[in-house]
Amino acid sequence: MRCTRRAVAALFTIFAMLLTGCSAGGGSDTAGSGPVHITFWSALRGSQEVVDEYNRTHTDIKVDFEQVPSGEQGGWAKLSNAARAGNAPDVATIEYPQLPGFTIDGVPRDITKLMPDSVRRKILPQALDLTTFDGRTYAVPVDIEPMVFLYRKDIFAKNNIPVPKTWAEFESSARKLKQAQPRTRIASLFTTGGTLYMAAYAWQAGARWYDTADDTWRISMDDAPTRKVADYWQGLMDDDLVRVEPGSSQQWRAHLSSGETAGYLAGAWAAGSMMASTPDGKGKWAIAPVPQWDPAKPRVSTQGGSTFMVTKDSKHPKEAMDFISWMVTSPAALRAKLSSGVSSAFPSVPGLVPVARKEMDTSYFSGQDIFGLFGEQAELISPSWKWGPRMVSTTTSGDDGLAKAGAGSGSILDALREAQSRTLPDLKSLGLSVTTR
């Protein structure tokens, strides 16, 4: 992939300057006796159970765990503040879109040499690509979440509406569904959290919001593929073919539960979330591949997913990596995590899929092999995408614009362009050379 190395060269230059003095491998200041204690912060559900299992089965390393709020609820700020004060935990969880920004800020350690080859070989390459910049790795993927289409199979069957395989068919099915059931819509266009969904749609269409050339960041949130996607969703919204509402809201969940929204485009993780939030849907829902622009050249993007980093402040980087390696590759770790509740998150290590499959009761989806589908879709994830250095700012600005577009003021493309213009000062403040394409 020609763009990958060039697209992150300037980013890595900044990383290298900011991380000067941080060991890529590093030893440990292990005391002469007793187990080494490392600290772990995470907002992921099931983390306490994972830590308990690790501490139960390991004697040389003990993990002290702290549950932190999810990123948008303060977890990112807590980690940033701790890193600035020089007391970040040994291990922390961070989502893919935020990793470049935290890396520029010098929070994670370069783990290229620290990460065992035996672990690296087990991870899906598409997942590892999202945590590797110019050949240097800064986090270990936990899960990778290919986009899929969850749909009410009973409503589609009742109205003889085909499950769409292409985006053209998606629009056609949306029109047929609205005609058959005037109060029902095929899916939602989210105004809260919607920028990351638009990123996933644009990514699938071949967009690259971030690129570099000659040590200059080039940003284009209105390139040709993005314009195609924005125009497509604008058309669906203008024709009242999709429901416009905040993501993860009570309003949205009520529409899913009632059948007034008959579909959900999201990452693989959403299947488990739906099982927990809309139990009355058991036996009514199924999952299909995400619609394609060109079925002859299928492409898939991701939505969601997390990583584990060893921070620059860790005094025990080797032990921290040992713990991460166990969490990511061990069947016992995954079983411990799943003991906390249902999860359809797709493991970054495909070898763990049999464990995930065994631990999930898929009767909600009428016994469908959802993990088999996720695996097929994960192989199609396009490796051309890289997240930008300040995605929190970008998504906040984009969501503001999407809310306005949903209320009839401006357009989806306007929202993305506004997000780009508001992001530029943040990048320049980092000392980056920035231009638009």
Side-chain angles (χ1 to χ4, degrees), residues 324-405:
I324 290 175
S325 297
W326 180 85
M327 283 198 293
V328 170
T329 67
S330 169
L334 182 55
R335 283 193 290 267
K337 174 186 175 182
L338 296 177
S339 70
S340 69
V342 64
S343 172
S344 61
F346 190 75
S348 65
V349 174
L352 291 180
V353 169
V355 176
R357 181 184 285 122
K358 182 179 179 181
E359 294 296 318
M360 172 172 276
D361 175 7
T362 57
S363 59
Y364 187 94
F365 298 100
S366 303
Q368 181 181 2
D369 180 13
I370 62 174
F371 283 101
L373 172 63
F374 298 159
E376 293 170 359
Q377 296 304 293
E379 293 289 344
L380 298 174
I381 293 172
S382 171
S384 63
W385 186 267
K386 291 293 178 184
W387 294 104
R390 282 295 181 263
M391 289 306 300
V392 174
S393 172
T394 301
T395 55
T396 298
S397 300
D399 286 359
D400 288 345
L402 288 174
K404 293 177 183 177

Side-chain angles (χ1 to χ4, degrees), residues 132-422:
T132 302
F133 311 107
D134 199 36
R136 295 179 182 270
T137 303
Y138 290 89
V140 182
V142 181
D143 55 336
I144 185 76
E145 306 296 342
M147 284 282 283
V148 293
F149 179 48
L150 295 87
Y151 67 98
R152 279 285 297 269
K153 64 177 183 178
D154 58 331
I155 294 176
F156 275 68
K158 171 186 174 183
N159 296 294
N160 296 312
I161 296 173
V163 179
K165 296 181 179 179
T166 67
W167 287 111
E169 291 175 1
F170 186 86
E171 180 179 348
S172 176
S173 293
R175 294 186 184 280
K176 292 177 181 177
L177 181 59
K178 180 184 176 183
Q179 184 177 18
Q181 296 187 190
R183 296 183 60 181
T184 301
R185 297 295 178 270
I186 195 170
S188 296
L189 173 65
F190 296 126
T191 54
T192 300
T195 305
L196 289 179
Y197 281 88
M198 293 307 301
Y201 300 141
W203 175 354
Q204 186 206 16
R208 290 207 310 272
W209 283 3
Y210 292 89
D211 193 3
T212 62
D214 300 323
D215 295 328
T216 297
W217 276 93
R218 299 185 302 179
I219 308 175
S220 183
M221 294 178 66
D222 64 349
D223 59 8
T226 302
R227 291 196 301 272
K228 178 172 71 172
V229 166
D231 289 346
Y232 175 84
W233 281 93
Q234 187 70 46
L236 294 180
M237 183 173 67
D238 291 347
D239 291 347
D240 190 26
L241 298 178
V242 292
R243 198 173 302 284
V244 181
E245 57 192 347
S248 300
S249 62
Q250 288 298 114
Q251 170 187 344
W252 168 70
R253 295 189 187 281
H255 288 140
L256 283 180
S257 182
S258 68
E260 291 179 278
T261 300
Y264 180 22
L265 291 154
W269 62 269
S273 177
M274 180 169 290
M275 292 169 65
S277 64
T278 56
D280 292 344
K282 184 175 181 179
K284 300 176 183 178
W285 287 86
I287 307 178
V290 69
Q292 293 290 330
W293 292 103
D294 182 357
K297 299 177 181 178
R299 299 169 59 104
V300 173
S301 59
T302 74
Q303 190 270 319
S306 299
T307 73
F308 291 136
M309 66 168 74
V310 179
T311 72
K312 66 176 179 61
D313 294 332
S314 176
K315 296 180 180 179
H316 308 287
K318 181 181 182 301
E319 289 81 1
M321 179 54 67
D322 287 346
F323 174 55
I324 290 175
S325 297
W326 180 85
M327 283 198 293
V328 170
T329 67
S330 169
L334 182 55
R335 283 193 290 267
K337 174 186 175 182
L338 296 177
S339 70
S340 69
V342 64
S343 172
S344 61
F346 190 75
S348 65
V349 174
L352 291 180
V353 169
V355 176
R357 181 184 285 122
K358 182 179 179 181
E359 294 296 318
M360 172 172 276
D361 175 7
T362 57
S363 59
Y364 187 94
F365 298 100
S366 303
Q368 181 181 2
D369 180 13
I370 62 174
F371 283 101
L373 172 63
F374 298 159
E376 293 170 359
Q377 296 304 293
E379 293 289 344
L380 298 174
I381 293 172
S382 171
S384 63
W385 186 267
K386 291 293 178 184
W387 294 104
R390 282 295 181 263
M391 289 306 300
V392 174
S393 172
T394 301
T395 55
T396 298
S397 300
D399 286 359
D400 288 345
L402 288 174
K404 293 177 183 177
S409 176
S411 68
I412 294 174
L413 188 57
D414 289 338
L416 297 178
R417 285 172 170 165
E418 179 68 13
Q420 174 176 298
S421 67
R422 291 189 184 183

Side-chain angles (χ1 to χ4, degrees), residues 97-111:
Q98 282 69 48
L99 180 61
F102 273 86
T103 306
I104 278 182
D105 291 341
V107 179
R109 182 180 294 257
D110 176 358
I111 58 171

